[in-house]
Structure formats: C-alpha cells, structure tokens
Amino acid sequence: MRIDYYNCYDDSKKVNKSPVYVASSTCNIYGTCNMDRPAFIVSEVLGNYVKFDGTYYFIDNKIYSGGKWIIQCTIDDLYTNAAEINNIVATAVRNEYTVNSDIQDNGLQLTVRQKNIIKDFGTGIPYAATGKVFLVGIKGE
Amino acid sequence: MKLSNKYSEKTVETVGTIQYSCTDTISNLFHLNDRNVDKSIVYTMPALSECSLQSNAYTTFYKKDKDQPVLVDGTRAFHSCDITNMKTENSQKYVVIGFPDRTTNGQLYMYSYNEDKTAVYNGIYAGNIKFLRDVPVKNILCDCWNIQAIDVSHTPVNYGRVELITLSDLISNPDKYIIGTFQMSYALWGGTGYTGICKPLIAGMNGSNMFFAEMTALLNEPVFSYNHFNKSLSGGTTFLINFKDNSVYGKMPDAHIDVKDSDFYERTAGTHTFYETEESDTHVLLKTTAYAVQNSAITTMSTQLKPYMRGSYFLKMLASLGLYFVTDHNVAGVTPDNLLQRSNIALGEMNSSFCTTGRFIMGQELLRSKSPNKDGFTVNDEFNPNKASKDDDINDITLNTDRMLSSGMIKYYAMNLSDLNELVTNLNTGQGILDFKNYCDFVVSCDVLPFDISQHYLVAHNAQCKVGDRILGNFDRVENILHNFYLGSYYVQPQHGSFLDYEPYTTVSVHIPYCSDVIIPTNLAMDNEIKIDMIVNVVTGVCRGVVSINNTVYTSTVGNISTPYPLSIESAGSIRAAYVSAITTSVGVMAAGAQGNFVGVGTGLLGVAQSLTAANTITPKVVNGGGDSSTNIMLNDTPVIYMSTPVESLPAGYGHTYGYACNKSDQVGNFSGFTVFANVDTSGLSCDNDSKNRIKALLESGVYI
C-alpha cells in the first residue's frame, strides 16, 4: 500500500486547505483500526499530513518502534469532502466578511459607557430681543 | 433609491418673468445609479477584458440608458489598472482593481461628455465627477491624490492662493480647506505652475489625472433648475442656485459660494437683499431654494461664480462614492484584507462583492452624507417610501385667518418699545368725549414674543389705532394669526452602522424650545432627517412644535411662546423678575403708565373680555403662557437632539475568530473566511454517516472556508 505525504499548515477547521505534496512511500496498516483514526507503519515520516486511499488524514502522533514508524492519524473530513461541502447550500449565521449589520449580534461586547451626542439644529426661532416683539390687543376700530 | 418625480420629466417653472426649465436628464442620470443594487457596479471580468482592448471602454460599463451609450472618446484606454483581487459569486466575477505606480497615462477617465451631450470636454466639466457618481465606481484604489484647496483664512477669488494638498492633509484638517477642484493622479498635474508640487512626489512620473473635476461642475448639474443649454447666461437671465433639491447626495453641499461681486438676492422677496459675507453664505445655504444670483455679477461662470466645498463635505462626498482611499502610494499587494488596516476602512464597508458602501470610510467623520431631501429622496426606503413631493409639507398648511382678525372688535398691534411709549403717552394725555371711560380699559392684552412680529406675520404697516374719538397712534396691525417657523433639520447619522444604532441600545429625543422633549423611535430617526417646525398662534401664544421625519409629520407637542405683560402694577411686580434684561428695560414705561390711567385696568379686564366674547367669536386673551414661557426665553432657541448610544468593544480579529452576524444562504464555497453555519443538511455528501455527522458539527461550530 502507498501513502502520500503532504505538508499542510492550514487550520484543521479549514475546508479548502492547501496541502503541499512532498513524497509517497509504502506503508502498512497497523493492527486492526477504525479508518477514521488509522495507524500506519512506515519507514520514515515525510510530512505532517497524509493521503491514503483517497482520504486525507492529520498525523496526530509518531511512534518509533523496531526501526519503523507508527503514525497515528485522524481523518480530515473537511478537506476529504471539500468539493461536495463547497456545493452544500447552507445558511451562514456568522461570517468573517459578510456582515448583516442589522442583525443583533449577541457576541459583541458592549461597555457600560454610553456615547452621548447633544447637538442643536442650528436654526431655531428667529430670536429678537428688540424690535416689534410686543403684541398689544386693543379694543377699537 | 427613490427619484423625485419632479425631475423625472420635463418641467418648466416660471418665477416672475424668468422661466426655469428642468430637463429630463435626471431620469437618465439615475438609470444606473441605484445604490440599492450593489452589483450594479460592476467591473466584471468581461467588462475589463473589453476595456483592455482600448476601444469604447466606457460604453462597456456606462450606458445612460438602455440604448444609448454615452458619448466618449473611444481612443481612451483603460489599460492602467491591475486586478488586485477577485471573487466569484453566483457565477459572476467581481474584481478589485488597483492603480499601480506607472509612469504614464494613468487616467482612468479623462475625456467626458458634456451634460447636454453636445460636446466632449477634457476633464473639466461635469463628466468626470458625474462618471464617478452615475456609475458607482467602487473598489478603485486611489493611491495618490492632489487636491486644489484654498485655506479658509483666505478669500477665495478664482484660483488665488491655491494650494495642492494631499488627501491626508485634508483628512487631518478638513475644516481648514475649501475645495475648488480636485484631482486624483499618479503624479503631477501637468498644469502650469504646479510642477513639482505634488505630494507625495513620485520621481520620474509624468502628470496624469485619473479624475479631475471642478466643484463648479458638480454643483452645476443638469438637474439645475435653469436651462443649462443657455449656460452662458445671456443678458437679463437669472438662474437659480438650488443645491439642496438638486444634489443627488440628497443633502446640499456645505458649499462656499464665492460671488465676488455679490448679487445673491432673495428670489421671492421682491426687494433685493444682497448678501456678501460669510454669514450670508450660511444664510443662503439654509434656504437654498429661495435665492438667485443676479446675472449682472456673472460675466462668465468660470471666472465670477466659483462654488467651493468645505473640506469636510468634500470628504463625505468622496466617501459616498464608495472609493477605497489609499494614501500610501505604494499599493503593491493591496488586498481587501490589508486595505482594512491600511485605509481604516471598517469591515462593514465591504459586502460580499467587495463593493464599498461609502458609509464607514475613514471612520465616523465620513459617514455617508446622503440624507433625505425635500423631494423624498430617502436613504431609509423602509420609511415613507412613496413620498415623491413635499406637497404635504407642513408649510403647505394655510388658514384664512385674515378675516377673523379684521372683523373682530379687538385689533392686535405689533409694537416696539418706542411704539409702547407712544401708546402709553397717548393713553395718559388728552381728553375726549369718552372721558367717562378709562381708556386703558381698551387695552385688553399685552404680550411679549421672542421674535419680531412684523417680520414674520402679515401686518398692515402704520395702521391707525383709534379708540373712540382718540387716535392712539399708528402701529403695525397684525392681520393673520398663524405662522410656521422652520426651526431646522438634523440628519441623524448612524453611529455604528449596525443594530447598535437602534433601540434599546440607542435612544433619540429632541427638545423643542418652548415645548417639551419628544422621544423619537430610533427606527424612524436613524439615517433620516428630523425636521422641526413650530406653528405659532400669535394671538393666543400657543406654539405647536411639529416633528417631521423625512418631511412627513410624525408628531407634535404644544407649548406657549408668549409672555403676558402686566397690565396692572400689582402683577408687574411678580412677573417682572422673570423677563430678560432686554425686555425689562421696557417695564418702567408701562409701570409709569400704570401709575396713571393704567391703575385698575386689570380688575375690569375680565368684564371686557366677557362682553367681547359674547359679541365676537374671538376670545380675548387675558393671560397666556403662564410662567414657563417667560423663563423659556432664557433657554436655547433651537431644537436640540439628544442621542445616547453604546460604546462597543470590538477586539482585533473579531471577524476572523468569531465572525460577524450574517444570516445569508449560499453555497458554502461562496463564503470565505471564518463561517458558522446553521442546521447544515449533509444528505448530499457521499461519505459515511460518521463523517457526515462530524462535518455537520464542524460547519455548525465554525470553519474556515
């Protein structure tokens, strides 16, 4: 069996990772294992990320035993299925770049301070202290 | 965006002997300028590809209407931009273009069409700025700016004392400058006298403009209410400066009008009151539709009439265009991400298509300047969406009150202190056949108002005031009761651009002088214009503060604006202390009168009132206003808005690690960055069930796309 080594420094929770291919080598599956968390016996470890049988795995641990390496892996569900995941139509409730600022964001921390804005309208009543400011009512003609 | 019907069709308005015509250009102008459609921009890949062919570049993305491309110089190339980023959304590619440091021919757009489509101008007239606005050019990285500005301490006379400043200068000191022309360029403007002044200086670069516009051109839009085909203003013609109604920004420019030889005059006043000072500019701009410029002062528009914008407004205007401002001329590697850091562009500025909204550029000071105007242009289309005119404006309220006053037995006179002296003198002297009657009994009320009554109400000047056989003098007789005072408008700027601008986080109230505070729901106030009018019944002293939002009356509150003047010496003592000093000076006059025939008037007044009530439907005003009106006069005469809004704590990397509230459905692959999905349906995945469950959990807890 063959295994492909990559270097992948993306966050494990990134869907569309950018692993860089390093090399391929032979391997054997170590014991009986769940292929979601397999272990492989290899002669050398050439990367931090592997592809085996069309599935991508994170290398969690490397154990040296009897001149061989045992690498314990965990499946990368996201990148393995990235093409299909990208086509899923889903509702994003939070996103780094797409902002609907009208939605109440409960994650936002507010301080106890309030910004107070006090502005006058600048126009107002045409004030006059003098002039014909008296209104006199007179019964007459 | 709602367009005014007024400008959607050809209209002709005659004022006096002068006819102002409005073309239908405006409807074409706005054809593509629907800012509600973010993707109307659209530097699409095909568009850029066509542009790169250097042939009819602009017709690709600017058509004034469906069938008529704009007249452009087809030889102009659109070859000097680089695509710095792109995004595919719904099979449509959007790109961010940048202008790198190149040594030649940097202009995005230099030739333009004249507003009447009859000629092509070289970067001078309205075309350039119109281009920016009509086609909401966005995502342009403006790396180097030259702005011709004038220090406000100087008198703007044509181009005297012009300085070339950078955008950074302007941002740092927006109130220091007024802007006559501006240009965005890579390097020097090649004009005579400007060589070497460009900041920052980029060695080896030839002058080349990306945009160049005079403010004259911006203000003299074809939406002008004068016939721009006769722009030369032949003899006898007057044209109307009408910034507010004409500004597509929905808000009149905070412009400075240099009318060297003056001749701004009030259009409807009949008498020509000329304004020449800085104060007059403010006055003119407050009532922009009411003023005209006399042609005699205008030899040619380019030399005699120079509108200038204040720096702060200029920045707002540019921000509203949705440009990225990069003050650092080195734009290599610019991406939307680092633009956020380098240009202080808030994250919310960009939507998923990388288009800017112009709302947050450079921080709170440059929140977009668009606001509703009197023609129903409303930013917040959720409110008052169908309002197309100001027909139901408060100013349209009319009442026929003349007859009521002229037929009443009580006449009301607007007097100054001198008039009062004359009245008192005439009351206290002479004898007549009515000597059995105390003449002071005929004075039924005297009130003080905080404005000159004769200036605001219809009056019969120097009307004879006669009681019985005695002429008490000639005074201004008040002929109508009601007058509406426009107390001002205030555009309520969103402070956050988010839900924080609304209740319960933010509260808005307005204090109306002589009335009370009015709490305005933030969903109505925010991003809208609050206008306060005050209807004053000069006879009763009742004032009604009217709150309008986007020119629609929202609510009103009642107060009292007049202060009863003491008619007897007893009441004078108790009320006198409340008067302001200016009014107090007159107390002595009336007190002197009260020592004579005025004594006892107060006790008989009620009887007079009752008899008059029976004889006439007008109830004489014995006392009005109470104590509040006399003390309110000491307070602010302008409405005051109080807004309280929270201070948010937004840590760096909030979006990257936590994400912003989004609530948008799309294919997962069309999102980017940190994303949290809700209730993901993984049934379409071909993996095993355990994997599906894990994928679902990951997507719902947050992943990076």
Side-chain angles (χ1 to χ4, degrees):
Chain A
M1 292 182 283
R2 294 194 67 80
I3 191 168
D4 300 329
Y5 290 97
Y6 295 83
N7 280 324
C8 181
Y9 302 110
D10 291 314
D11 190 283
S12 62
K13 295 173 72 174
K14 185 172 177 63
V15 176
N16 299 300
K17 296 182 178 68
S18 304
V20 178
Y21 174 75
V22 178
S24 297
S25 69
T26 58
C27 70
N28 289 305
I29 296 177
Y30 178 73
T32 301
C33 61
N34 182 337
M35 288 309 290
D36 289 341
R37 299 183 62 85
F40 301 99
I41 303 171
V42 296
S43 57
E44 56 182 343
V45 182
L46 300 174
N48 67 352
Y49 192 74
V50 297
K51 179 183 178 184
F52 177 80
D53 194 23
T55 301
Y56 291 90
Y57 295 93
F58 302 108
I59 296 178
D60 297 332
N61 287 301
K62 297 178 288 187
I63 302 169
Y64 187 72
S65 174
K68 293 287 188 181
W69 289 91
I70 301 171
I71 53 175
Q72 295 176 325
C73 301
T74 301
I75 188 171
D76 182 357
D77 289 309
L78 292 176
Y79 191 59
T80 300
N81 300 284
E84 291 181 337
I85 291 173
N86 284 330
N87 287 327
I88 294 176
V89 176
T91 299
V93 291
R94 304 190 73 86
N95 181 257
E96 183 172 348
Y97 299 115
T98 305
V99 183
N100 186 336
S101 57
D102 291 337
I103 296 175
Q104 185 164 324
D105 188 346
N106 293 321
L108 201 59
Q109 298 296 310
L110 302 179
T111 68
V112 295
R113 290 187 295 115
Q114 289 273 311
K115 178 183 178 184
N116 296 303
I117 298 169
I118 302 175
K119 299 273 189 179
D120 68 48
F121 280 42
T123 306
I125 295 169
Y127 177 74
T130 59
K132 297 188 177 181
V133 298
F134 299 98
L135 183 73
V136 180
I138 297 175
K139 176 190 174 188
E141 297 178 24
Chain B
M1 187 179 68
K2 304 300 178 186
L3 296 181
S4 164
N5 290 333
K6 182 177 180 180
Y7 298 119
S8 297
E9 57 188 8
K10 290 184 179 180
T11 58
V12 176
E13 179 185 3
T14 301
V15 178
T17 59
I18 302 166
Q19 188 177 81
Y20 305 96
S21 67
C22 175
T23 75
D24 62 348
T25 309
I26 185 65
S27 59
N28 292 329
L29 262 177
F30 283 100
H31 182 72
L32 285 177
N33 195 18
D34 188 344
R35 291 175 188 269
N36 291 331
V37 184
D38 287 338
K39 295 164 188 172
S40 63
I41 318 291
V42 209
Y43 283 105
T44 61
M45 283 296 288
L48 285 178
S49 298
E50 289 185 39
C51 292
S52 67
L53 299 176
Q54 304 182 20
S55 175
N56 292 326
Y58 312 114
T59 60
T60 301
F61 48 87
Y62 182 24
K63 294 181 179 180
K64 292 188 73 174
D65 55 50
K66 293 179 180 177
D67 304 312
Q68 185 180 14
V70 158
L71 177 62
V72 296
D73 185 336
T75 64
R76 284 290 151 183
F78 192 78
H79 58 75
S80 56
C81 67
D82 281 350
I83 299 171
T84 60
N85 213 315
M86 66 178 66
K87 177 181 174 62
T88 301
E89 185 173 357
N90 296 329
S91 302
Q92 178 65 65
K93 288 185 177 178
Y94 298 94
V95 299
V96 177
I97 57 175
F99 293 86
D101 289 348
R102 291 189 176 176
T103 56
T104 58
N105 298 325
Q107 63 269 29
L108 167 66
Y109 189 74
M110 192 160 180
Y111 278 79
S112 62
Y113 60 93
N114 192 15
E115 52 211 3
D116 59 8
K117 308 177 191 175
T118 58
V120 175
Y121 286 86
N122 184 356
I124 299 295
Y125 273 69
N128 286 335
I129 186 66
K130 278 175 56 181
F131 169 79
L132 285 174
R133 200 188 53 210
D134 297 346
V135 182
V137 178
K138 297 181 179 181
N139 306 323
I140 291 182
L141 310 180
C142 307
D143 60 334
C144 182
W145 282 69
N146 289 331
I147 301 168
Q148 290 187 20
I150 297 174
D151 192 304
V152 292
S153 61
H154 298 151
T155 302
V157 178
N158 297 330
Y159 288 107
R161 297 188 177 91
V162 165
E163 301 173 24
L164 284 182
I165 62 174
T166 64
L167 183 65
S168 299
D169 295 335
L170 187 61
I171 290 172
S172 300
N173 300 290
D175 296 326
K176 183 181 178 183
Y177 298 104
I178 52 178
I179 311 301
T181 65
F182 76 95
Q183 54 189 318
M184 292 185 283
S185 63
Y186 296 144
L188 311 179
W189 180 40
T192 303
Y194 298 103
T195 302
I197 305 177
C198 171
K199 292 184 293 185
L201 183 63
I202 303 174
M205 293 183 64
N206 298 322
S208 55
N209 299 329
M210 287 193 290
F211 304 106
F212 180 88
E214 291 188 5
M215 291 302 102
T216 318
L218 178 64
L219 298 178
N220 293 350
E221 290 293 335
V223 286
F224 238 24
S225 2
Y226 75 103
N227 187 339
H228 57 78
F229 285 93
N230 296 323
K231 197 172 177 180
S232 58
L233 298 174
S234 55
T237 304
T238 303
F239 70 94
L240 184 64
I241 300 292
N242 193 350
F243 300 111
K244 189 170 184 179
D245 285 349
N246 288 333
S247 169
V248 295
Y249 302 106
K251 192 174 185 179
M252 64 182 179
D254 185 10
H256 182 103
I257 313 300
D258 172 25
V259 276
K260 182 182 177 184
D261 296 320
S262 182
D263 286 8
F264 257 112
Y265 70 87
E266 202 163 356
R267 180 163 65 101
T268 57
T271 58
H272 289 187
T273 302
F274 294 99
Y275 300 97
E276 297 179 349
T277 67
E278 179 78 10
E279 291 179 0
S280 71
D281 294 338
T282 303
H283 188 59
V284 168
L285 291 170
L286 287 174
K287 296 180 66 178
T288 53
T289 59
Y291 295 92
V293 176
Q294 181 70 9
N295 180 42
S296 61
I298 306 170
T299 305
T300 66
M301 288 186 61
S302 61
T303 59
Q304 293 294 327
L305 177 65
K306 279 291 183 187
Y308 292 91
M309 285 188 175
R310 297 190 193 283
S312 53
Y313 180 81
F314 175 75
L315 291 173
K316 291 179 182 177
M317 180 195 73
L318 291 179
S320 71
L321 296 173
L323 301 175
Y324 290 157
F325 298 121
V326 182
T327 54
D328 182 354
H329 69 271
N330 179 12
V331 297
V334 165
T335 66
D337 286 342
N338 62 30
L339 262 177
L340 298 180
Q341 302 171 8
R342 297 174 57 175
S343 302
N344 294 326
I345 298 175
L347 181 62
E349 177 61 42
M350 293 191 305
N351 59 23
S352 58
S353 63
F354 290 154
C355 295
T356 59
T357 64
R359 296 182 65 177
F360 306 103
I361 294 175
M362 299 308 292
Q364 296 300 318
E365 291 75 14
L366 289 182
L367 285 168
R368 64 178 173 177
S369 61
K370 292 174 65 176
S371 74
N373 65 13
K374 296 179 80 65
D375 272 328
F377 179 97
T378 161
V379 173
N380 184 353
D381 289 338
E382 297 300 319
F383 177 71
N384 193 18
N386 299 317
K387 191 166 181 60
S389 72
K390 57 179 181 178
D391 288 345
D392 53 354
D393 193 315
I394 191 72
N395 290 308
D396 296 329
I397 296 174
T398 57
L399 285 177
N400 182 7
T401 54
D402 301 357
R403 189 171 55 183
M404 295 171 64
L405 281 182
S406 60
S407 63
M409 294 183 65
I410 296 177
K411 303 295 190 295
Y412 292 90
Y413 298 91
M415 298 186 185
N416 56 24
L417 203 55
S418 174
D419 293 335
L420 275 180
N421 276 324
E422 180 183 349
L423 175 66
V424 171
T425 300
N426 291 334
L427 285 171
N428 288 320
T429 59
Q431 297 293 316
I433 59 172
L434 295 178
D435 284 348
F436 63 90
K437 184 70 176 177
N438 186 337
Y439 282 102
C440 291
D441 286 349
F442 291 90
V443 180
V444 296
S445 68
C446 180
D447 296 272
V448 183
L449 290 111
F451 49 79
D452 191 316
I453 301 165
S454 290
Q455 284 192 12
H456 301 286
Y457 287 81
L458 182 66
V459 296
H461 293 286
N462 297 317
Q464 188 180 75
C465 175
K466 186 178 181 183
V467 174
D469 62 339
R470 182 175 295 187
I471 297 173
L472 299 179
N474 293 320
F475 309 114
D476 287 356
R477 189 176 66 231
V478 179
E479 297 288 332
N480 70 338
I481 294 175
L482 297 176
H483 181 74
N484 177 42
F485 293 93
Y486 166 70
L487 301 192
S489 299
Y490 192 87
Y491 166 64
V492 183
Q493 287 187 333
Q495 298 296 307
H496 304 276
S498 70
F499 65 96
L500 293 176
D501 287 319
Y502 300 92
E503 292 163 351
Y505 305 99
T506 297
T507 57
V508 175
S509 64
V510 173
H511 171 74
I512 304 175
Y514 296 94
C515 296
S516 57
D517 291 357
V518 177
I519 297 173
I520 301 176
T522 52
N523 63 330
L524 295 180
M526 202 56 62
D527 208 7
N528 285 319
E529 187 178 61
I530 298 175
K531 184 182 72 169
I532 305 297
D533 290 278
M534 178 175 284
I535 304 170
V536 175
N537 184 325
V538 73
V539 172
T540 64
V542 171
C543 59
R544 178 174 291 274
V546 182
V547 181
S548 299
I549 299 174
N550 289 2
N551 281 313
T552 295
V553 174
Y554 165 63
T555 187
S556 66
T557 180
V558 173
N560 202 308
I561 198 170
S562 70
T563 301
Y565 207 89
L567 295 178
S568 67
I569 194 168
E570 293 86 354
S571 57
S574 61
I575 298 179
R576 177 167 45 190
Y579 292 153
V580 294
S581 59
I583 299 173
T584 305
T585 58
S586 65
V587 170
V589 177
M590 293 301 283
Q595 288 172 348
N597 290 342
F598 257 46
V599 175
V601 166
T603 56
L605 193 55
L606 189 57
V608 173
Q610 289 171 340
S611 63
L612 286 172
T613 303
N616 200 298
T617 54
I618 298 177
T619 301
K621 176 185 48 162
V622 178
V623 173
N624 69 23
D628 280 342
S629 55
S630 64
T631 52
N632 279 337
I633 199 170
M634 301 289 286
L635 301 177
N636 200 341
D637 283 319
T638 68
V640 178
I641 185 169
Y642 301 89
M643 186 157 79
S644 181
T645 192
V647 177
E648 60 188 329
S649 175
L650 193 64
Y654 180 83
H656 183 65
T657 57
Y658 200 73
Y660 294 91
C662 170
N663 203 37
K664 177 185 177 182
S665 290
D666 202 345
Q667 288 182 317
V668 170
N670 285 339
F671 292 96
S672 60
F674 181 74
T675 311
V676 180
F677 295 94
N679 299 323
V680 178
D681 180 4
T682 58
S683 58
L685 299 180
S686 57
C687 52
D688 59 51
N689 197 49
D690 280 350
S691 287
K692 286 183 180 180
N693 290 336
R694 289 193 296 265
I695 291 170
K696 179 181 176 71
L698 284 167
L699 292 175
E700 292 177 1
S701 64
V703 296
Y704 296 94
I705 306 298

